[in-house]
Amino acid sequence: MEAEETMECLQEFPEHHKMILDRLNEQREQDRFTDITLIVDGHHFKAHKAVLAACSHVLPQNFSIL
């Protein structure tokens, strides 16, 4: 996709990224499609591996050995 096409798409759907994150969060809150549980100080957090991997350079490597 060329830069002009990308800008055109962003102009047509300026809040698309927010909608996607909101929907992913709703799914997480409803325990839908979560595929990993992180445990921190005894607290359990359901999550989507794909979302966590997209936010980290380290986690995808760790997920591949699970």
Side-chain angles (χ1 to χ4, degrees):
M1 186 179 286
E2 293 182 28
E4 289 177 16
E5 291 174 349
T6 301
M7 288 305 295
E8 216 174 275
C9 184
L10 291 175
Q11 290 172 358
E12 290 179 35
F13 304 101
E15 296 296 316
H16 184 70
H17 65 282
K18 183 179 180 337
M19 181 191 70
I20 295 295
L21 290 174
D22 287 345
R23 296 263 168 82
L24 286 167
N25 192 44
E26 287 173 12
Q27 291 173 358
R28 182 193 57 80
E29 288 173 342
Q30 296 167 1
D31 197 20
R32 296 182 69 214
F33 312 117
T34 55
D35 52 2
I36 193 166
T37 301
L38 303 176
I39 303 171
V40 181
D41 293 331
H43 299 279
H44 291 70
F45 300 93
K46 296 276 189 167
H48 303 280
K49 280 196 261 186
V51 173
L52 296 174
C55 298
S56 169
H57 294 290
V58 177
L59 290 177
Q61 297 164 355
N62 292 327
F63 292 156
S64 66
I65 60 171
L66 294 178

